[in-house]
Amino acid sequence: MTLNSPGILAVALVTVLALVLYFWVSNSVGSARGKYNIAAPAMTGHPDFERAVRVQANTLEHLVPFLAALWLAAWFFQPLVAGALGVLWLIGRIIYAIAYRRDPAKRGLGYGIGYAATVMLLLAALLGIVQRFMV
């Protein structure tokens, strides 16, 4: 596996897109703070602002394990599989963010997709690591 392999490039691109997604949801908080005139350090106020904060916080909470699992799966299992699961995570998180901002009760599909992708990445990484121990 080299840095120029298609799988590693895919995982690197997914990583960049995940960070872009995080910046997008973070900027949404700042925009909502300005739109609803909520001065820092307040974290409550208008319901739209509170939803933006929750989307940003939840995305950060899931970003850390996702990135670790993504790169471990790429390194020890298969980079193209990791990249594909990373795209699935991105799709799930985008669905989650849009749904939560519209109606928090409808966040489940996006949350489930992202969570499942992270679990699959983690299992792929674990499988790859265990296989290396058996060689």
Side-chain angles (χ1 to χ4, degrees):
M1 177 170 38
T2 67
L3 291 178
N4 290 328
S5 73
I8 290 299
L9 291 173
V11 171
L13 179 60
V14 165
T15 300
V16 169
L17 293 174
L19 295 173
V20 168
L21 171 67
Y22 182 69
F23 283 122
W24 171 60
V25 299
S26 294
N27 287 337
S28 295
V29 173
S31 294
R33 186 177 290 283
K35 181 178 180 179
Y36 299 108
N37 197 28
I38 299 171
M43 296 300 287
T44 59
H46 193 279
D48 288 345
F49 169 73
E50 291 177 4
R51 287 194 292 271
V53 168
R54 193 62 211 127
V55 167
Q56 183 268 337
N58 189 268
T59 300
L60 180 59
E61 292 161 4
H62 286 262
L63 186 62
V64 173
F66 163 71
L67 288 175
L70 174 71
W71 281 97
L72 287 168
W75 188 259
F76 291 104
F77 186 73
Q78 215 293 336
L80 284 173
V81 171
L85 289 170
V87 169
L88 184 63
W89 183 88
L90 286 167
I91 292 168
R93 293 310 302 182
I94 291 167
I95 292 170
Y96 171 86
I98 292 168
Y100 199 106
R101 292 291 301 269
R102 289 183 183 159
D103 179 1
K106 298 193 176 171
R107 71 191 186 279
L109 175 64
Y111 183 90
I113 291 169
Y115 187 83
T118 301
V119 168
M120 287 186 279
L121 284 165
L122 190 58
L123 291 174
L126 182 61
L127 177 63
I129 292 166
V130 168
Q131 285 176 339
R132 303 240 177 161
F133 272 116
M134 298 183 153
V135 174

